[in-house]
Amino acid sequence: MAKLSTPKNQAAAAARPKATTFRLDPPLQEGLVLLQAVLKKPLNRLVNEAVKGFIEKRTAEVESDLQQVLMRVKAYRRSDPKFEKAIAQFVDTEARLGSGDPAEGGAEASTGPAQVMVHKPLRS
């Protein structure tokens, strides 16, 4: 008889530890073995405690960094909600530097020898 998959069964399966393989540098491995002997705790527990502490520390750092970025973005949006300053800067720069921009288009005044050879029969 097959077992039914229920939310309770799924939660229990997700809560079970998963066997994972990691390569540790020899000094880290030696330190773990030393702590295991001194603290009389399994290596698995020591690694889980260390990883848990690392995750808690790093997620707090990342959260703080993201909050600072979000505050800067919000401050920028408050200072120029319709991007009027940014648009004005773009327009000024285009007006100042755009005249020499080949992407702006326009007729080429000079023609080279190849163009003369092609245009000559067309004009006849």
Side-chain angles (χ1 to χ4, degrees), residues 40-53:
K40 308 279 191 257
K41 288 185 177 182
L43 284 174
N44 186 60
R45 183 178 300 161
L46 293 174
V47 170
N48 276 291
E49 288 174 1
V51 171
K52 180 181 177 186

Side-chain angles (χ1 to χ4, degrees), residues 12 16 35-36 55 81 87 99 103 105 109 112 114 120:
R16 282 189 216 120
L35 283 174
Q36 177 191 28
I55 289 172
I87 292 168
S99 63
K120 193 173 187 180

